[in-house]
Amino acid sequence: MTIILLTAAESEALLLSLRVAIVAVLCALPLALAAAVLLTRHSFFGRSLVEGVIHLPLALPPVVVGYLLLITLGTREPVGAWLSAHLGLRFAFSWTGAALASGLITFPFQYRAIRLALEAQDARLAEAAATLGAGALDRFVNLTLPLALPGIIAGVITAFAAALGEFGAIITFVSNIPGETRTLPLAIYSALQEPGGETEAARLAALAIALALAGVMLAGLADRRLRTNLHS
């Protein structure tokens, strides 16, 4: 499958980036939702520490996140070796590892958007539903989730756009393997390392900018929809 104006290798990098971003966002979404609900609805000892750990990828250099993954899930590390031998899961130097790294880096974006949506909900609505006999699960499915949906969508779109641009954690954890882990940012980096690769790098950079801009605009639309629903 060849993308117009792109070579086969460039198209491969683009499609791999989309695949990695989609898997990263979808796998992180249930965890982000669960964490947001837990930390919004419940108070417990160590809550601030949990919040700090969740936001840590925003403060750490992505290279550090990639390094931590490498020394934990590398093929020669105890955890990585066990997962490979017993479950057939290999993350290091694989596209699945790129998705894992991207999911960790962009997890705070989803968590933050969902939590803000939950915090903006009127608690009296849930109380009224409870007095009418709605159980906890019923209230969550039919009240909490629909009201938080714009925030969930905004978080997903923002995380997806960020995952498309992730570089440091991916190259540190899974390296830069053509056809396996070379995503769009890594393809740009590789093009700049080759003589005469400026044109290819510029073409890929323009594509990355267009994708990022589209993601930011969609996230903004979802955020405005959230505010409109909350004030209607």
Side-chain angles (χ1 to χ4, degrees):
M1 180 177 182
T2 303
I3 307 298
I4 297 175
L5 301 180
L6 299 180
T7 65
E10 294 167 353
S11 300
E12 187 175 54
L14 172 59
L15 294 175
L16 179 60
S17 291
L18 294 173
R19 182 185 186 186
V20 165
I22 290 172
V23 171
V25 169
L26 292 182
C27 289
L29 176 57
L31 298 176
L33 177 60
V37 170
L38 176 64
L39 294 174
T40 301
R41 300 288 191 256
H42 304 282
S43 296
F44 53 89
F45 179 77
R47 175 179 170 182
S48 297
L49 177 60
V50 174
E51 290 182 339
V53 171
I54 289 176
H55 288 97
L56 197 58
L58 296 178
L60 286 176
V63 172
V64 174
V65 176
Y67 171 72
L68 293 175
L69 288 172
L70 187 61
I71 63 175
T72 303
L73 299 176
T75 54
R76 296 184 179 180
E77 303 300 330
V79 176
W82 187 90
L83 289 175
S84 178
H86 295 84
L87 301 179
L89 297 177
R90 182 175 66 87
F91 292 103
F93 310 111
S94 169
W95 77 269
T96 55
L100 175 60
S102 296
L104 286 176
I105 292 292
T106 61
F107 183 87
F109 294 108
Q110 295 200 69
Y111 164 77
R112 184 69 176 170
I114 297 172
R115 178 166 183 180
L116 289 175
L118 293 174
E119 290 178 340
Q121 294 179 14
D122 191 341
R124 292 173 297 180
L125 295 175
E127 293 173 358
T131 60
L132 294 174
L137 181 60
D138 188 16
R139 295 196 302 272
F140 179 75
V141 172
N142 296 301
L143 183 63
T144 302
L145 274 183
L147 290 176
L149 186 58
I152 294 173
I153 294 174
V156 165
I157 295 173
T158 304
F160 179 79
L164 285 176
E166 176 50 40
F167 175 83
I170 290 179
I171 197 171
T172 304
F173 182 38
V174 298
S175 190
N176 185 8
I177 306 172
E180 180 65 31
T181 64
R182 180 172 291 177
T183 57
L184 194 58
L186 272 65
I188 296 173
Y189 173 80
S190 298
L192 290 174
Q193 306 307 306
E194 299 176 359
E198 292 82 3
T199 301
E200 178 183 353
R203 186 166 58 245
L204 292 174
L207 178 60
I209 292 171
L211 290 172
L213 181 60
V216 171
M217 290 176 63
L218 287 173
L221 289 173
D223 182 65
R224 285 193 292 273
R225 177 66 181 277
L226 169 63
R227 295 178 186 274
T228 300
N229 288 347
L230 291 175
H231 293 290
S232 60

